[in-house]
Amino acid sequence: MAFAIRRPSTAFSEDPSDRAQKRIRDEGHLAFIRRLPSVLSGVYGCEACHIRYGDPVFRKKHTGKAQKPDDAWTVPLSPDEHWAQHDTNEREWWLSHRIDPLALAQALYAVTGDTDAAVRIIVQARTTLGLSATVRTAGE
C-alpha cells in the first residue's frame, strides 16, 4: 500500500523562521552601534545599518524592503556608505568590499556595551581588508 508523506511548504526552506515571527528590537544595541566607527572608512558619526539579506549559516532570515531584521544584525556605516549599501544588491555590495557583515554584526552584538572590544573588532576587520587601522572623526 502506497502512502504519502506530508511536508509543510517550508520543510526544505533555508529560512529558519516563518514570516509571522516578530523582529527583535534592541534600542540599546542600536545606540551602541551608532557610537562606533565605520567598518569601511573608520569615521565616527555612523548609522546602525541593518543587514537585510538572509544566510542559513547564521540562521538569519531574509527581510524585504518593508521589513527590518532584528536589531542584532547591524553594523556601523557612515550615512553615505549606508545609502550606497541599500542602493544596490546588498550581498554583492558587501562582497565588493570583502566584508562578511553578518559575522561582523554577530561579533559586535556579542560585545554590546563594551566600546573598546567593539573598536578592536572593527580595527581587526579593517586591518584584514588591508585598510588603515586608524579610526577618525567625521570631517578629518
Side-chain angles (χ1 to χ4, degrees), residues 120-137:
R120 282 193 299 273
I121 289 167
I122 290 169
V123 166
Q124 176 62 41
R126 290 176 49 72
T127 303
T128 301
L129 295 171
L131 301 172
S132 167
T134 305
V135 292
R136 54 195 182 2
T137 59

Side-chain angles (χ1 to χ4, degrees), residues 4 9 12 15 34 37 48 56 59 61 69 83 103-104 106 114 116:
S9 61
F12 297 103
D15 193 340
R34 290 182 192 113
R59 295 197 43 78
K61 73 176 190 170
W83 280 109
L104 180 62
Q106 190 175 55
D114 186 343
D116 292 338

